[in-house]
Amino acid sequence: MIGILTDVTKCVGCNKCVDACVEENGLGPHVPTRRANPDGLGSQRFTSIVRAPQGGRYVRKQCRHCLEPACVSACIVGALTRNQDGAVVYDAKKCMGCRYCMMACPFAIPRYSWENVVPYIRKCKFCYDNRIAQGKQPACTEACPEKATIFGDRDDLLREAHARINGNPGKYINKVYGETEIGGTAVLYISDVPLEFLGWSKEMSPTPLPSLTRGVLKEVPLEFIGMGVVMSSIYWITGRRRQVAIAEAQADINAAKAADKEKHDDQA
């Protein structure tokens, strides 16, 4: 199972991981999200560098790729899935923009592409199709000059994390963030400053969240299905209007070209 280990003590805030992610995924200019406390993530930014409120450390923020992801459990159309290697990926063609995954995610990672005519969810996909599946590491970890964020097998990364903590008494908080919380995550952190501001609550249980999500879905199936129908209808209508608008614009262009050609022929 793949994983990423971020050592907060090594990060210098150079943003090269962010730049590499933007280039690899062909992302456009950053579109700030509608949040009271912007964190740099958005529909065009799958990873960001934020400052810790304590200690002033630079910390990389991205999807944690939970071992039992609540977002996957909450997605009623199967747009989000976790593959055999551990990457939580999504299919934009299936996404209907209901945003249940945004509500389910304990780390508040998925973002909505408000700027699109037909908006949908966006987030880190672990560079799975374009790099991992081809035997390469993610663009972000490859670009890090300080090796503050490294890629590898999750079990190997856990051993490395504990070795660093045990080998440097007093340097790190005695904790590997993501080892057991909510069933564990593929993206792990070790740090010398608290990371609760990243969503790692001290009260976070080791119990996976999908079991709770499934319970909610089971209790209100009609509401979810009904909302799914409504959202699907809105999605189709919006897409259809866009297609009609494009067709009408093209018709106007063709008509203008025909009129110019006719005028030119008359003058000739």
Side-chain angles (χ1 to χ4, degrees):
M1 182 189 306
I2 58 176
I4 285 177
L5 171 62
T6 292
D7 186 335
V8 173
T9 69
K10 292 178 175 289
C11 182
V12 297
C14 66
N15 276 283
K16 289 187 178 180
C17 57
V18 178
D19 296 338
C21 178
V22 170
E23 181 178 356
E24 183 66 33
N25 292 284
L27 304 179
H30 175 50
V31 180
T33 56
R34 302 178 181 182
R35 296 171 59 87
N37 298 304
D39 57 7
L41 294 183
S43 62
Q44 298 297 321
R45 290 295 179 275
F46 300 161
T47 190
S48 66
I49 299 294
V50 296
R51 291 294 293 269
Q54 298 181 41
R57 287 287 191 185
Y58 294 101
V59 185
R60 189 155 84 93
K61 187 171 185 177
Q62 66 172 115
C63 174
R64 309 300 152 78
H65 295 275
C66 302
L67 304 191
E68 297 191 47
C71 60
V72 171
S73 179
C75 182
I76 61 178
V77 294
L80 283 158
T81 56
R82 180 178 179 273
N83 64 30
Q84 70 277 7
D85 291 324
V88 178
V89 299
Y90 68 89
D91 185 344
K93 294 179 181 179
K94 294 181 179 180
C95 180
M96 66 181 191
C98 68
R99 290 177 283 169
Y100 289 141
C101 59
M102 293 177 66
M103 292 184 284
C105 178
F107 303 108
I109 295 297
R111 299 300 154 95
Y112 204 52
S113 57
W114 294 101
E115 71 279 8
N116 290 340
V117 175
V118 182
Y120 55 91
I121 294 299
R122 305 271 283 171
K123 76 167 196 69
C124 162
K125 296 187 286 186
F126 231 131
C127 286
Y128 190 79
D129 292 332
N130 45 336
R131 296 184 70 90
I132 301 298
Q134 299 176 24
K136 303 176 183 178
Q137 64 175 307
C140 57
T141 58
E142 184 177 78
C144 183
E146 305 296 327
K147 300 303 178 185
T149 183
I150 58 176
F151 171 77
D153 178 83
R154 183 177 184 270
D155 290 338
D156 292 340
L157 294 176
L158 275 173
R159 283 190 285 271
E160 174 64 22
H162 283 292
R164 293 187 189 185
I165 293 173
N166 295 332
N168 296 274
K171 179 179 180 180
Y172 297 95
I173 294 174
N174 188 21
K175 176 182 180 64
V176 179
Y177 292 89
E179 181 173 13
T180 60
E181 293 90 341
I182 59 170
T185 63
V187 175
L188 308 165
Y189 291 81
I190 54 175
S191 175
D192 60 346
V193 297
L195 298 183
E196 281 74 15
F197 72 98
L198 281 187
W200 299 111
S201 171
K202 292 181 179 179
E203 293 75 33
M204 190 169 277
S205 168
T207 302
L209 292 181
S211 59
L212 302 177
T213 306
R214 294 189 194 102
V216 173
L217 291 173
K218 184 177 180 181
E219 291 298 323
V220 289
L222 294 179
E223 285 79 356
F224 273 77
I225 293 172
M227 182 58 72
V229 171
V230 171
M231 294 301 295
S232 295
S233 298
I234 293 174
Y235 183 95
W236 184 88
I237 291 170
T238 304
R240 179 57 180 165
R241 285 178 177 173
R242 187 182 185 187
Q243 292 175 348
V244 170
I246 293 174
E248 290 177 346
Q250 188 60 53
D252 291 340
I253 293 173
N254 293 339
K257 289 182 178 179
D260 289 342
K261 183 177 185 303
E262 183 177 348
K263 181 179 180 180
H264 177 76
D265 292 342
D266 290 342
Q267 291 177 346

